[in-house]
């Protein structure tokens, strides 16, 4: 789902395409767009699985408030994907519960 | 807040259903103009001007209601029956009411003003999931009612992060938790990842409802820094650029 020609904002400007890895699967995205936007455009709505009930959750507020869109990004869990820009080669994984740190940050 | 009102209906025979456009902001938007099959809605001059309803041309079909992204258009029939008026309104909430259902009537500020009966729910493909709910309201309320609410089931989540339901919060209030902090301590509502951004106002409203106190008197939760989620190493490094 992507709006290519917005009646007010006009046509989508062309930007570099980058590849992100969603659960190991390559997905093409627009450089700099929020990760959640790239995933929704690719038909992925589920970001994580809730901690207590184990229910699927997905982007809800899209403005960085609700934390329903959190995923494991480059090994770091609980990253709000609706406000985190896509970068080339980024690894994005569906989070389970509170998630696990894959490796220490740089 | 302006309460709108009968001035919208000036010049329209009382018995005729007609659109009521409550769109006071000059924004570049005109789906309402395109949606009206009878050419009854116009924008004079720029696309950012306020839409004007031609009362002579309006047939009361309601097609403009789901087209407005601002949910600003309603349908009013002041003489629906002997004691009821009819209001058509856009509805984008779940659960969806069904024809015949009794629903709570809300005013423009979300305050409950009475109970009405749904007469019809229209949801066509072209409406893009915005339903139009027609509800019979006591006469005199047609210029007041602007939304309906189906009573929420008790197992709706209020705190999404900690998965705390309305019922759990109500039980905490019954157990004596009458401030947002007290509810938090008993249920964990507000202690999840988003730190209460989603639920704190809802929790206050439930406490107010259960205790019968005005909302302003419900003590809010204590707010402490950091005010937005930060990775701990930012604090450890002492970066001043966040
Ligand atoms: S109710 Fe029908 S005729 Fe009246 S303004 Fe809306 S779309 Fe046009
Ligand atoms: S579509 Fe709704 S918000 Fe837009 S101009 Fe018409 S009435 Fe106003
Ligand atoms: S969707 Fe709410 S924080 Fe991302």
């Amino acid at each position: 789902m992507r709006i290519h020609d917005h009646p007010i904002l006009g046509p989508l400007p062309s930007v570099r395409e980058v590849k992100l890895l969603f659960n190991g699967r390559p997905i093409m995205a627009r450089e700099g767009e929020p990760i959640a936007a790239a995933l929704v455009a690719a038909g992925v709505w589920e970001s994580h699985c809730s901690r207590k009930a184990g229910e699927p959750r997905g982007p809800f507020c899209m403005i960085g408030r609700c934390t329903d869109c959190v995923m494991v990004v480059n090994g770091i869990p609980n990253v709000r994907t609706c406000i985190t820009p896509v970068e080339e080669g980024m690894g994005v994984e569906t989070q389970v519960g509170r998630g696990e740190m894959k490796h220490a940050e740089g | 807040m302006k309460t709108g009102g009968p001035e919208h209906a000036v010049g329209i025979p009382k018995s005729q259903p007609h659109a009521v456009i409550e769109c006071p902001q000059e924004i570049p938007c005109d789906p309402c103009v395109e949606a009206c099959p009878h050419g009854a809605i116009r924008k004079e001059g720029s696309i950012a001007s306020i839409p004007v309803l031609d009362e002579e041309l309006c047939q009361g079909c309601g097609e403009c209601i789901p087209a407005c992204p601002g949910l600003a258009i309603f349908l009013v029939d002041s003489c629906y029956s002997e004691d009821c008026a009819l209001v058509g309104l856009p509805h984008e909430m779940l659960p969806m009411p069904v024809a015949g259902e009794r629903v709570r009537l809300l005013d423009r500020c979300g305050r409950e003003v009475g109970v009405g009966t749904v007469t019809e729910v229209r949801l066509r493909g072209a409406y893009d999931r915005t339903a139009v709910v027609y509800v019979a309201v006591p006469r005199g309320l047609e210029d007041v009612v602007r939304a309906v609410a189906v009573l929420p089931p008790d197992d709706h989540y209020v705190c999404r992060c900690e998965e705390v339901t309305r019922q759990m919060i109500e039980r905490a209030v019954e157990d004596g938790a009458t401030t947002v902090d007290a509810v938090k301590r008993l249920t964990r509502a507000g202690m999840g990842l988003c730190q209460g951004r989603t639920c704190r106002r809802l929790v206050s409203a439930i406490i107010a409802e259960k205790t019968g106190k005005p909302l302003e008197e419900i003590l809010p939760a204590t707010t402490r820094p950091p005010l937005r989620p930060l990775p701990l190493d930012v604090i450890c490094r002492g970066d001043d650029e966040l």
Side-chain angles (χ1 to χ4, degrees):
Chain A
M1 192 172 84
R2 225 188 254 295
I3 298 171
H4 291 277
D5 194 6
H6 191 279
I8 304 299
L9 302 175
L12 207 57
S14 58
V15 296
R16 199 161 79 96
E17 278 228 311
V18 294
K19 189 167 75 186
L20 59 82
L21 287 173
F22 166 64
N23 292 342
R25 169 161 73 96
I27 280 179
M28 296 314 286
R30 293 165 54 79
E31 185 171 43
E33 73 178 338
I35 299 170
L39 292 179
V40 165
V44 178
W45 284 93
E46 185 180 335
S47 54
H48 72 278
C49 173
S50 79
R51 194 158 51 83
K52 293 177 183 164
E55 293 166 344
R57 291 292 170 86
F60 179 63
C61 72
M62 277 288 189
I63 53 167
R65 278 179 78 103
C66 74
T67 70
D68 264 347
C69 64
V70 295
M71 300 178 83
V72 182
V73 176
N74 290 339
I76 301 170
N78 298 315
V79 173
R80 288 170 294 164
T81 54
C82 70
I83 53 163
T84 306
V86 164
E87 285 163 18
E88 174 65 41
M90 208 169 218
V92 179
E93 280 159 54
T94 310
Q95 182 170 321
V96 177
R98 59 160 71 87
E100 249 170 66
M101 193 68 109
K102 291 281 164 58
H103 53 76
E105 198 192 357
Chain B
M1 177 184 260
K2 184 179 179 292
T3 43
E7 75 267 25
H8 292 287
V10 169
I12 297 193
K14 266 277 172 193
S15 59
Q16 199 179 304
H18 58 272
V20 171
I21 306 181
E22 301 186 351
C23 174
Q25 258 177 339
E26 298 185 1
I27 47 170
C29 176
D30 71 348
C32 53
V33 176
E34 300 293 325
C36 177
H38 304 282
I41 306 180
R42 283 193 320 272
K43 285 254 176 174
E44 283 159 357
S46 107
I47 188 179
S49 65
I50 287 170
V52 181
L53 178 73
D54 187 325
E55 295 154 358
E56 302 276 296
L57 293 179
C58 176
Q59 307 291 310
C61 68
E63 287 302 304
C64 49
I65 298 173
C68 168
L71 310 184
I73 309 185
F74 306 87
L75 196 98
V76 167
D77 180 359
S78 307
C79 303
Y80 176 65
S81 73
E82 194 122 305
D83 16 67
C84 285
L86 190 74
V87 178
L89 41 90
H91 190 85
E92 295 184 338
M93 304 277 226
L94 291 176
M96 195 55 78
V98 290
E101 188 169 351
R102 304 273 287 164
V103 289
R104 295 189 289 154
L105 304 172
L106 309 179
D107 70 5
R108 292 175 181 81
C109 298
R111 282 179 300 236
E112 200 167 329
V113 291
V115 175
T117 307
V118 174
T119 64
E120 191 189 343
V121 177
R122 267 186 225 171
L123 189 47
R124 304 202 182 110
Y127 288 5
D128 194 20
R129 288 180 282 176
T130 301
V132 180
V133 172
Y134 286 89
V135 60
V137 308
R139 269 209 197 187
L141 284 186
E142 63 269 34
D143 295 316
V144 175
V145 173
R146 287 299 175 261
V148 295
V150 178
L151 263 179
D154 294 340
D155 59 354
H156 271 184
Y157 286 129
V158 172
C159 169
R160 300 171 64 83
C161 303
E162 286 294 327
E163 299 167 73
V164 183
T165 64
R166 181 184 177 96
Q167 195 174 40
M168 290 155 83
I169 289 169
E170 287 185 347
R171 215 173 288 148
V173 179
E174 281 158 20
D175 286 347
T178 53
T179 64
V180 178
D181 270 338
V183 169
K184 180 172 92 178
R185 289 184 190 114
L186 287 187
T187 65
R188 288 194 61 87
M191 293 179 82
L193 262 187
C194 89
Q195 289 289 288
R197 283 176 175 77
T198 310
C199 66
R200 62 180 168 221
R201 288 185 182 79
L202 300 171
V203 171
S204 306
I206 294 172
I207 298 173
E209 201 178 293
K210 289 286 285 182
T211 57
K213 281 194 204 151
L215 194 53
E216 309 78 59
E217 278 177 29
I218 308 301
L219 215 56
T222 317
T223 308
R224 293 188 190 86
L227 298 181
R228 56 177 164 153
L230 289 177
L232 267 183
D233 73 316
V234 170
I235 297 170
C236 299
R237 279 204 313 266
D239 277 4
D240 47 15
E241 199 185 314
L242 301 182

